[in-house]
Amino acid sequence: MKPIPPSMTNSTGGCIVRRGESGEPIEHRLLLLLDYKYFEVFQNWLMYYKGACPEESSDRNLEIVCMDTAVAKLLQQHTSLRCSTHIPAVPSNTTTTKTGGSFKSSVWITRMEIINLLLDLKQDVLVTDTDAFWLRSPYADLSQLSEHSDIVASRGWFPMHISEEWGSTLCMGFLYIKASDFTRGLFRAVLDDMQQTDQLLRARSHYLATKNLTYVDPEHPERAAVVLSTETVAAAGSKEADDQWSLNSVLFRGNLTFPEDMVLSYRERQHTGQLAWGNDSRTYNVTLLPEALYVRNCANNLLKFLGTPLPYI
């Protein structure tokens, strides 16, 4: 793959999250998960990133989680960057995953574990996919919006039943999380939801192989056993753990509420939703970025089917 050079860069103010009247810099980690199949895509991403954030110090923000030893070797051979020390890379010929689902599901659970780890270390986290190319620095927007919001996210449509209610969903492909008691509690709940989904998938696979309705996870014997009934086996289905599904589902169950007109202006405007969380009466903010500036839905954009389409879609 031949990289396409960035068409526009903007590093004004540096790639730093600043907060408060003093513009105090806030430490954050820029989280990417990488495996060897996507290394060329990552090289393209890195070129865009360095165009938007040319300062040498910007590389120190990177938290690159290597999902296999092959990509760790490629990273060392072709860049000055190194893998995160939080999660060791597994041998590249490993065919099994640590989840009951696919490799992709395993990646998503790993990503959520790392998010929780970094939030526990009281570090803000900026999650980006390697196919989310940075045409300009997002830090001025993130600095401004994170003043009043604990989460600032690009837009998605999945899960569809939630975007039909809200007008968009939070996309895990580009997401800023401010370290706070609220986000630590929220993302622990998201990880729990993912682990429960994965354990249910394991229980169903166990039943189909053994006809035993009781399942104890051998890798996590401390977790409660899953006891299926013959009626619930089919209902359990084969849904895999997915961080975008779980994040939006937990927020939806928590009654996150967005402005009713969001579906009509998602391209041009940011929108802030609110929810109460925990035992206190405090309200927390979640902001979605304008789709025209933070595009995560290029082909077959399902957002345009929500509500009344705009003339230029």
Side-chain angles (χ1 to χ4, degrees), residues 227-300:
V227 181
L228 300 172
S229 67
T230 53
E231 291 79 15
T232 59
V233 167
S238 56
K239 181 182 180 303
E240 296 184 348
D242 182 301
D243 52 359
Q244 187 163 317
W245 176 285
S246 289
L247 173 59
N248 285 282
S249 296
V250 170
L251 289 170
F252 187 74
R253 292 195 296 265
N255 295 316
L256 174 62
T257 303
F258 284 102
E260 292 183 2
D261 65 344
M262 181 164 75
V263 70
L264 302 177
S265 56
Y266 68 88
R267 284 185 60 85
E268 310 96 336
R269 293 172 46 200
Q270 71 251 13
H271 294 90
T272 297
Q274 296 184 325
L275 80 161
W277 184 268
N279 297 323
D280 58 20
S281 57
R282 182 179 170 186
T283 298
Y284 298 93
N285 293 335
V286 175
T287 295
L288 295 181
L289 293 158
E291 174 74 5
L293 294 179
Y294 293 86
V295 182
R296 296 297 295 140
N297 300 276
C298 297
N300 300 319

Side-chain angles (χ1 to χ4, degrees), residues 160-177:
M160 193 66 184
H161 70 282
I162 297 179
S163 60
E164 287 174 343
E165 291 285 333
W166 286 345
S168 305
T169 58
L170 285 72
C171 176
M172 286 295 301
F174 186 84
L175 177 89
Y176 184 81
I177 310 162

Side-chain angles (χ1 to χ4, degrees), residues 60-129:
R60 293 198 291 268
N61 296 328
L62 292 172
E63 191 80 37
I64 302 172
V65 177
C66 296
M67 299 301 295
D68 54 67
T69 53
V71 80
K73 186 177 296 185
L74 287 169
L75 197 66
Q76 186 171 5
Q77 290 173 344
H78 296 282
T79 76
S80 61
L81 304 173
R82 297 296 179 265
C83 302
S84 168
T85 59
H86 291 304
I87 296 288
V90 299
S92 304
N93 60 356
T94 300
T95 57
T96 59
T97 69
K98 69 175 185 178
T99 69
S102 65
F103 176 75
K104 186 178 290 188
S105 177
S106 177
V107 169
W108 289 331
I109 288 181
T110 298
R111 178 160 69 178
M112 191 54 57
E113 290 172 342
I114 293 289
I115 289 172
N116 274 270
L117 184 152
L118 295 173
L119 291 176
D120 285 343
L121 294 174
K122 299 184 178 181
Q123 292 184 331
D124 290 13
V125 184
L126 175 53
V127 181
T128 183
D129 282 349

